[in-house]
Amino acid sequence: MILADLDGASVAEFARELGASAVALQLDVTDRAQVDRLPERIPAAFRPIDVLINNAGHDIGGRTRFDQGQADDWSSIIDTNLNGLMRVTRAIVPEMVRRNIGDIVNISSISAIRQVPDMAAYTASKAGVRAFTDILRADLAETGIRVTEILPGLTRTNIILKRHRGDKEAEREYFERFKIALDPDDIARTVLFALNQPPHVQIAQLFILPVNRW
């Protein structure tokens, strides 16, 4: 596994926990030069890439009415959640096309299809991920590459803490308000379900919610 993340120290620690099967790379998906160099930074022993899971994203400054938020926050959300995902995919997919095999899994969000106020940039970014995933699947329909979109509901990651710029009380109140949230392991199992299908089976979309949501 190649673990690429903006937080180089954190992902390096995670890779050490996983052992020799994992390599960590510091990667800013909004940095064009870094992403373009990504294929050559992958150690030879870990090539070619069979599965790409796009999971980078944030909502810093989110849950704020559009006219009251900061334009730089909105741009950053789009650059990471949508543009970064597209750029990383573009860096990796040509080799998959050459080999005529591979899986691309894009982590989208319930926000891609269920819009709520005060989430303009995040919603736009995830709606873009959904549209891009559909078109990518169509573009690659004559290949052996499978393209899957995962649309999770509220999940206990650090996205809420980062949204509120490190305010742990705001994070606690947010999760308490909804009572039940998914865990990262829940999302990982759905990804594995999609990947473990026979080669002729493509799971196009998986929509996952906590049991108390509709």
Side-chain angles (χ1 to χ4, degrees), residues 18-51:
L18 294 174
S21 64
V23 168
L25 297 177
Q26 194 281 333
L27 179 68
D28 180 353
V29 299
T30 69
D31 186 318
R32 175 179 177 178
Q34 280 193 36
V35 177
D36 288 349
R37 291 195 305 270
L38 177 60
E40 65 192 54
R41 293 177 61 201
I42 297 171
F46 287 77
R47 303 177 194 170
I49 297 298
D50 296 309
V51 179

Side-chain angles (χ1 to χ4, degrees), residues 24 35 54 70 93 106 110 161 180 184 193:
V35 177
N54 285 307
Q70 301 178 35
V93 77
N106 292 334
I110 182 178
L161 182 63
I180 299 176
F193 170 77

Side-chain angles (χ1 to χ4, degrees), residues 115-146:
Q115 289 80 38
V116 297
D118 301 334
M119 295 188 67
Y122 187 80
T123 296
S125 73
K126 293 302 184 178
V129 170
R130 186 184 187 202
F132 169 68
T133 306
D134 284 348
I135 296 300
L136 182 65
R137 190 182 303 113
D139 279 354
L140 301 177
E142 299 302 320
T143 75
I145 300 168
R146 304 185 299 185

Side-chain angles (χ1 to χ4, degrees), residues 4-193:
D5 194 271
L6 181 62
D7 186 341
S10 177
V11 76
E13 181 179 350
F14 186 31
R16 284 193 294 271
E17 292 177 8
L18 294 174
S21 64
V23 168
L25 297 177
Q26 194 281 333
L27 179 68
D28 180 353
V29 299
T30 69
D31 186 318
R32 175 179 177 178
Q34 280 193 36
V35 177
D36 288 349
R37 291 195 305 270
L38 177 60
E40 65 192 54
R41 293 177 61 201
I42 297 171
F46 287 77
R47 303 177 194 170
I49 297 298
D50 296 309
V51 179
L52 170 64
I53 301 176
N54 285 307
N55 190 43
H58 75 80
D59 188 35
I60 295 173
R63 278 290 181 174
T64 305
R65 204 173 77 179
F66 181 75
D67 61 299
Q68 297 175 351
Q70 301 178 35
D72 284 348
D73 285 341
W74 302 156
S75 295
S76 177
I77 290 169
I78 298 293
D79 283 346
T80 299
N81 299 6
L82 179 56
N83 295 340
L85 178 146
M86 293 177 68
R87 186 171 291 281
V88 171
T89 302
R90 178 59 181 82
I92 298 299
V93 77
E95 179 64 15
M96 289 184 175
V97 171
R98 189 189 69 78
R99 296 171 59 232
N100 198 39
I101 191 170
D103 281 274
I104 299 168
V105 180
N106 292 334
I107 307 299
S108 180
S109 168
I110 182 178
S111 296
I113 56 176
R114 295 188 179 174
Q115 289 80 38
V116 297
D118 301 334
M119 295 188 67
Y122 187 80
T123 296
S125 73
K126 293 302 184 178
V129 170
R130 186 184 187 202
F132 169 68
T133 306
D134 284 348
I135 296 300
L136 182 65
R137 190 182 303 113
D139 279 354
L140 301 177
E142 299 302 320
T143 75
I145 300 168
R146 304 185 299 185
V147 182
T148 297
E149 180 188 11
I150 307 292
L151 299 94
L154 180 62
T155 306
R156 291 189 184 278
T157 67
N158 64 2
I159 190 170
I160 304 303
L161 182 63
K162 289 189 174 181
R163 171 192 288 168
H164 294 288
R165 308 182 197 278
D167 186 336
K168 293 186 177 181
E169 182 61 21
E171 178 193 40
R172 184 191 63 77
E173 290 177 355
Y174 189 85
F175 281 114
E176 282 190 355
R177 186 190 320 160
F178 291 96
K179 296 182 172 60
I180 299 176
L182 302 170
D183 291 316
D185 283 354
D186 300 326
I187 310 307
R189 283 195 303 273
T190 65
V191 172
L192 289 174
F193 170 77

